[in-house]
Amino acid sequence: MQAPGSAPYGTLGRSQKVVANCIEISKYPEGDIYQYDVTVRPERGDFKKLPPPAYMRSVFDAAMREHRQTKLKGIAMVYDARKIAYAPKRVCGPKEVLELEVSYNEDGRTENYKVRLQESAVVNTSILTAFITGRGNIDVGEIQSALNALDLAIGSVLHLEMIGFNRSFFTREQSKATSGGLELWRGFSFSVRPGIDRLYLNVNTAVTAMYTPGSLMKSLMDILNVRDPNMLRGRLSPQTLREMGTFLRGLILHMHHRGIQGKRKFSARGTTSKGLDEESFEWEDPDKPGRPVNITVAQYYQRRYNIKLNYSFLPGLIGRKNAVFPIEFCDIAENQRYKGHLDERQTADMVRFACQKPSDNMHRIMDVLQQTNLGRSPVVQSFGLVLPNKLAEVESRVMAPPTIDYNRSSRDSSFVPQGGAWNMQNKKVLVAGKPLDYWAVLVLANRNYVNDGAVQGFVTMLVNSCKSTGFMINEPRPPIVYGNPNADIAREMEHARKSIRLPPNAAPQLLLVILPSTNTQVYQTVKNCAYTTLGIHTQCMQSKHAMRPNMQYCANLCLKINAKLGGVNQGLPSSHMETLLRRKPTLFLGCDVTHPAPGEQHKPSIASVVGSTDFLGLRYVATLIQLPSRQEMVDKMQEAVVRHLKLYFKGTGHKPQRIIFYRDGVSESQFSQVRDRELIEIQRACASVEKGYKPEITFLAVLKRHNTRFFPMGRDGDRTGNCVPGTVVDRSVTMPGMIDFYLFAHAAIQGTSRPTHYYVLHDDAKFTADAIQQLTYHLCYTYAICTRSVSLVPPVYYAHRVADRARCHLVDMGHEFEEATSSSSGYYGGVGTAVGRAAAGAPGAAAKILKLNNALDESMYFM
């Protein structure tokens, strides 16, 4: 993919150098690397399912050790632990099959295997040189095999010292226990990346959740929050069994007791529905053949092994061939990564654990490079890699922040923020929304804790705060209605809505909902009812804020309510926007896709498309599109864009002469596919509105989940030690042949900042690098509900919020969603029928636009 024209480098701002978490690779192979298909088979039979990667790698490595000096001719090979291996030299002829026999011993059991190698491709690494120097029209996907080979060569060294998962490697040293039978590990990600005229090895810090090895009983007690297993007697509800089953599914366990030798390894498929003192089966006593009897599992252990179960009331674990194992005899095997969702407490622990100062992260990276000394590895050297242990220094620039406008009646109506943050003192919102006349307060918290006086006191402070910020609440004493969060919430909300005193032909405007806690189920149900049934704006808050009100919190609520009711909180000067956009009416579009959680393939993915409805890109409307499960390409894009073109015309009276489309959730390998398909959809949308209508289209991909970090040098950083807002890097470590840049638009509060990576995939407007970088950066100061610049350009940020609200919009379908990530990224969320859910997310299911209640459809309901 080639750059869409214009100078690729910007010049605006103060120049300075920063340290990147990348090593410049001094030398890499420029010849052939040989790719092999690998088949590992037991001596007898075959695997029904491939064993875990760690086991496959151990078998392969054992074969390499045994045959390297004979059949392999001393040639090193690296293996992805599934089906592909690479070698720097040919180990067998192109049409030959090389078979290696090996014995592998684990836990005292020896198995014999045959490892078969057959050449499948020859990877000419000179394509890397052509790509990084911009010679030839080479797509990033074409160099992936060469990069994979180099990644595996480096990974082969790291696997010897750490526990590896794909390109990330972890160690239990300095681990931290968290709740739910889990612990947190520190580690690093390593990946070879192309840069301008050179290759880099990117090294970043990482954290992950792991199962705590050892007693399964102890972990289950932690999950179920009990101190003694006997406390579970008589308490095994279906919910408890579900929690246990979710934790156990796929977990590798060791069973041991005095009746068997050594350890028996198995993978848990679930739990029995009854305790082992009730779960029965037909058993034939070896001492009494031909006389099967029906006995419980507990009786079986007593009669077969003379073992009395201490906790026979607990369910058993179901393994292969429906074998049942008692929990009390099982241990969790080591080095297993947790792939499920973290709960609120675990997430908080993870954030605290991962939060490290930039200087600490940089020193950890430098330390691991010294410890592993990758460049000295014979395997790395055999692949022709030369790796110094030094992080690269690259050029960056710091762009100036924009002027921010508030209402002219403000004492500080126009100012230049410093450090990416400001406050609402002496400021009034730029445009006030419709005054709040018809509203009510619904309290879903205990009345004894949150009484009427406390609620009215909070409402009074909110009214005064809104008045001081220029948004009027004309009804200072709205009805206060108490509801039960465990009852029918839709009915409770309808009761609160009906309590609003309305004149003829007036509609209720807002429900302020006070929640008892951060319970996501209650929150999602409230939002779902508001979006689909009642058609009323809701502003949710936790009860603790009503009990301890403060003006800053009320000001934040005011910003959200004003945006929902049609107001604009702050903006860039219109003259500045005219200059940035060359005085052309411009429609800003943002798009993101959210996918169902792992293991929920029958549930749909959701695309969110937001579009601006004013000249300054300050107000947005959203469109939701339901897609087949885990589909990244957005169907119905043409229909969505047509809607946003019409809404822009409705809001401005003009057709946009330019469309700037920020697309999130796309990996680098998908750039060409997504750009080509969705660009055509946008063009068709324009043509369908009016024949011959061809506005300029600028298409940018946005990546937030990547592993590139930058560390300021000397005293160039902010108070947290991070790069200051406005720092942009557009050379050296960026993508060859493209216009792309890393942008720090925000001020970090804690930890190490992650810049957002923007790629210009198509540009009819022929923006200069300075123009698109400055426009993107300055837009980050217009996010509606913040008095600080944000890390993502607002159209994408809004698309994220809309996608997140899709969980609420579809709560009645039982859907859970996670944020979309590219496959190459590093680390970082009523019940319908099963038939309905499967149909919605099935691969062949038709995409469709999801309709909101008409009363909210053209508002910023998602703020």
Side-chain angles (χ1 to χ4, degrees), residues 558-626:
C558 172
L559 297 181
K560 294 182 178 183
I561 295 170
N562 187 50
K564 288 173 180 172
L565 296 184
V568 175
N569 293 326
Q570 80 267 6
L572 302 177
S574 57
S575 59
H576 181 54
M577 285 297 289
E578 287 176 3
T579 300
L580 290 174
L581 299 174
R582 303 174 194 163
R583 292 173 173 75
K584 289 188 176 182
T586 300
L587 168 64
F588 292 101
L589 294 174
C591 177
D592 189 24
V593 180
T594 185
H595 298 300
E600 304 286 356
Q601 288 85 352
H602 60 283
K603 297 178 180 179
S605 292
I606 300 291
S608 56
V609 182
V610 301
S612 57
T613 59
D614 66 318
F615 286 121
L616 301 180
L618 300 176
R619 291 205 50 77
Y620 286 81
V621 170
T623 303
L624 279 172
I625 306 170
Q626 180 176 301

Side-chain angles (χ1 to χ4, degrees), residues 493 522-533 536-540 564 805 808-809 811 856 861 863:
M493 292 178 66
V522 175
Y523 174 83
Q524 289 180 354
T525 305
V526 166
K527 291 296 184 180
N528 171 263
C529 182
Y531 295 163
T532 59
T533 306
I536 185 171
H537 287 294
T538 53
Q539 182 58 58
C540 294
K564 288 173 180 172
R805 294 301 185 274
C808 311
H809 190 67
V811 71
L856 304 180
Y861 69 91
M863 301 311 292

Side-chain angles (χ1 to χ4, degrees), residues 119-141:
E119 187 178 301
S120 58
V122 178
V123 180
N124 190 327
T125 55
S126 61
I127 193 173
L128 292 173
T129 302
F131 182 80
I132 64 179
T133 56
R135 299 200 306 266
N137 189 13
I138 302 171
D139 187 84
V140 66

Side-chain angles (χ1 to χ4, degrees), residues 578-796:
E578 287 176 3
T579 300
L580 290 174
L581 299 174
R582 303 174 194 163
R583 292 173 173 75
K584 289 188 176 182
T586 300
L587 168 64
F588 292 101
L589 294 174
C591 177
D592 189 24
V593 180
T594 185
H595 298 300
E600 304 286 356
Q601 288 85 352
H602 60 283
K603 297 178 180 179
S605 292
I606 300 291
S608 56
V609 182
V610 301
S612 57
T613 59
D614 66 318
F615 286 121
L616 301 180
L618 300 176
R619 291 205 50 77
Y620 286 81
V621 170
T623 303
L624 279 172
I625 306 170
Q626 180 176 301
L627 302 173
S629 184
R630 309 207 75 80
Q631 177 176 307
E632 188 57 57
M633 306 300 155
V634 180
D635 298 330
K636 299 287 184 180
M637 178 66 80
Q638 178 178 340
E639 189 174 336
V641 173
V642 166
R643 177 173 183 256
H644 288 292
L645 288 169
K646 291 179 178 178
L647 288 171
Y648 183 88
F649 183 82
K650 179 179 178 180
T652 66
H654 290 76
K655 291 180 298 183
Q657 296 178 30
R658 177 184 293 128
I659 296 173
I660 300 179
F661 182 54
Y662 289 96
R663 175 65 154 92
D664 195 12
V666 185
S667 65
E668 290 172 340
S669 61
Q670 296 174 308
F671 280 172
S672 295
Q673 184 182 6
V674 171
R675 177 202 59 189
D676 293 346
R677 176 169 172 174
E678 295 180 5
L679 181 62
I680 289 173
E681 292 288 296
I682 296 171
Q683 291 168 337
R684 287 175 176 168
C686 296
S688 70
V689 169
E690 182 180 291
K691 187 175 181 180
Y693 174 46
K694 294 182 179 180
E696 298 170 352
I697 300 172
T698 299
F699 191 125
L700 294 94
V702 182
L703 264 68
K704 184 67 175 173
R705 293 180 178 270
H706 59 79
N707 286 314
T708 303
R709 303 289 183 272
F710 299 99
F711 307 105
M713 298 176 66
R715 304 178 69 178
D716 289 334
D718 64 10
R719 60 178 182 81
T720 66
N722 282 291
C723 294
V724 298
T727 301
V728 62
V729 177
D730 63 359
R731 59 195 72 203
S732 299
V733 293
T734 50
M735 186 64 69
M738 297 184 66
I739 297 177
D740 65 314
F741 56 95
Y742 293 93
L743 175 64
F744 290 90
H746 66 300
I749 297 174
Q750 61 181 1
T752 302
S753 283
R754 175 168 46 191
T756 302
H757 197 177
Y758 296 91
Y759 302 77
V760 182
L761 304 185
H762 179 87
D763 185 21
D764 292 331
K766 292 183 170 47
F767 279 109
T768 64
D770 278 332
I772 196 65
Q773 290 169 14
Q774 187 181 43
L775 173 63
T776 301
Y777 174 45
H778 286 187
L779 285 174
C780 292
Y781 284 79
T782 66
Y783 186 63
I785 57 173
C786 269
T787 54
R788 47 190 313 124
S789 57
V790 291
S791 60
L792 275 173
V793 69
V796 169

